[in-house]
Amino acid sequence: MSERLKQTQAYLQAKIAPQAAELDRDPQRLAQAVKDLGNEHLLGLRVDPKWGGQGLNSLAFLQFQELVSRYSGALAFLQTQHQSAASMLAASQNEALKQQYLSEMVSGKLLMGVGFSQLRRQGVPVLKAVPSETGYQLYGEVPWITGFGCFQQFIVGATLPNGESLFGLMPFEAQTQVQGGRLCLSEPLQLAVMESTQTVEATVRDWYLPQTHVLSIQPARWIHEKDRRNVLQHSFFALGCAQAGLDIVAAAQANLPDFVERGLRSQLHTLDICRQAIYQAHLEPESSFEHRLALRAEAIDMAVRCAHMAVIVSRGAANYRDHPAQRVYREALAFTVFGQTTAVMEATLQKIV
Ligand SMILES: Cc1cc2nc3c(=O)[nH]c(=O)nc-3n(C[C@H](O)[C@H](O)[C@H](O)COP(=O)(O)OP(=O)(O)OC[C@H]3O[C@@H](n4cnc5c(N)ncnc54)[C@H](O)[C@@H]3O)c2cc1C
């Protein structure tokens, strides 16, 4: 582990782990924890130093993602929306938008979410963009945008008539434009897990997105190619979640029979093998999609099983609302479906049946 990652771990252990239960349920505490990451120079990790970012390579960034999810699933999920928005903006050709927002995003002064998972859906596009003279008109729904009340803006993904994907900036609050366009947001969704991340649905009616707010236009099937290329990406959250489950077992085992300690040792070993295989596959460009997909399913399976172990050794108390075993078990549920694709759904099921 690098020196920097060790420092990050020390920060997460001291400042985040003790409030993990509150972070799972209190949106204000969670929003503050994200801002605090900015003070620790832990936002904009993938952004080039010329914008104030850390310019981390993908390996170091994924190690960071694994570490955060070990100590708080809600924080891991909320901050990753902002980190990916910052990376998307950094990769944009829109220099004016970069000048305006990137440095503030890196420091955490401006926080930004994303809403483009609808591009994964099959059939009629969920959110359409129609070109106009000076920009685009947007119509449809955004089924998931996380970070309401914490993020000020979000990057939306919409489908153009030729199938290409348009990415642009929208305010993250209900608004009616002078031109008549409307952005309506639902109440934060009632969720079994990470409710504090304040996820909402948006309805977009005739929204005018000026050319100045466009980040990029990507080819049709962009998201499907990206999902294939990055199929391992969500595995790192699952690995952190699995470790969180085993941390709970480790803390409980001293007062329990020997078979718990033996089970823990065996599962730590299995998790280690899984983790090594995932990092190795990430570093080997020639590792096949099928191999990476199987490893993603393996990581999800590990998260669920390790969280279940935590529940088992915590006994009846695992049912208390704030018990860490129960929170980690719910986080395993979330990390099972985040970024899910048809292929991931199939591989995850195959692991079980
Ligand atoms: C709490 C929460 C917060 C989220 N926050 C965000 C956010 O801030 N930003 C964001 O962009 N996304 C967000 N997501 C989306 C997240 O990544 C999705 O979980 C993921 O994309 C799956 O989306 P879905 O549940 O809408 O399923 P769908 O997209 O409907 O389905 C998942 C996959 O299965 C495929 N599929 C569905 N039906 C069929 C079928 N009949 N045959 C074959 N394949 C099929 C789809 O094509 C898709 O690839 C959030 C999700 C959750 C649960």
Side-chain angles (χ1 to χ4, degrees), residues 57-317:
N57 62 31
S58 66
L59 176 68
F61 181 62
L62 294 168
Q63 287 173 326
F64 169 81
Q65 299 283 63
E66 180 188 345
L67 208 51
V68 186
S69 60
R70 177 174 179 180
Y71 296 105
S72 163
L75 181 62
F77 188 56
L78 189 58
Q79 63 82 35
T80 203
Q81 310 299 322
H82 176 80
Q83 306 261 15
S84 56
S87 297
M88 285 177 88
L89 183 55
S92 163
Q93 305 286 318
N94 189 332
E95 292 301 323
L97 273 191
K98 283 158 67 163
Q99 291 285 352
Q100 193 175 353
Y101 293 123
L102 256 183
S103 305
E104 293 206 333
M105 285 180 78
V106 167
S107 68
K109 249 182 162 177
L110 175 89
L111 294 167
M112 205 181 272
V114 295
F116 58 76
S117 67
Q118 62 278 4
L119 298 173
R120 288 197 181 95
R121 294 203 179 160
Q122 302 169 340
V124 180
V126 180
L127 183 71
K128 293 180 188 172
V130 178
S132 69
E133 251 174 44
T134 55
Y136 299 87
Q137 300 298 136
L138 269 49
Y139 308 83
E141 323 290 329
V142 186
W144 307 101
I145 322 166
T146 288
F148 178 72
C150 175
F151 298 161
Q152 292 95 342
Q153 317 228 21
F154 72 100
I155 295 174
V156 72
T159 308
L160 286 161
N162 64 2
E164 290 178 329
S165 301
L166 170 83
F167 292 89
L169 214 54
M170 287 184 74
F172 200 172
E173 60 180 356
Q175 260 186 39
T176 302
Q177 296 177 304
V178 281
Q179 299 90 338
R182 287 184 68 197
L183 168 65
C184 303
L185 301 177
S186 71
E187 289 296 309
L189 300 172
Q190 295 192 346
L191 301 170
V193 58
M194 303 181 193
E195 195 170 81
S196 56
T197 61
Q198 304 267 92
T199 300
V200 299
E201 292 170 59
T203 306
V204 183
R205 293 282 169 265
D206 208 11
W207 182 266
Y208 172 57
L209 184 83
Q211 190 64 48
T212 51
H213 285 44
V214 172
L215 271 82
S216 67
I217 292 179
Q218 300 292 345
R221 296 199 49 77
W222 170 87
I223 197 157
H224 305 292
E225 301 296 335
K226 180 172 173 291
D227 282 341
R228 250 185 100 80
R229 229 179 17 254
N230 295 339
V231 64
L232 274 178
Q233 202 164 295
H234 284 78
S235 316
F236 297 88
F237 295 117
L239 287 176
C241 182
Q243 186 64 57
L246 296 187
D247 288 345
I248 294 167
V249 180
Q253 51 102 16
N255 300 319
L256 290 166
D258 285 353
F259 60 76
V260 173
E261 202 262 338
R262 284 199 300 277
L264 173 64
R265 255 191 293 132
S266 160
Q267 194 71 340
L268 278 170
H269 179 64
T270 311
L271 177 59
D272 208 35
I273 292 172
C274 176
R275 179 185 288 119
Q276 280 179 30
I278 286 176
Y279 277 100
Q280 197 177 339
H282 171 73
L283 290 172
E284 279 171 4
E286 67 278 11
S287 74
S288 71
F289 169 72
E290 289 70 22
H291 178 55
R292 291 172 177 219
L293 180 65
L295 288 172
R296 163 98 166 254
E298 176 78 29
I300 291 172
D301 193 51
M302 286 302 299
V304 175
R305 285 195 295 142
C306 295
H308 198 190
M309 278 178 76
V311 167
I312 293 165
V313 303
S314 304
R315 292 109 61 207

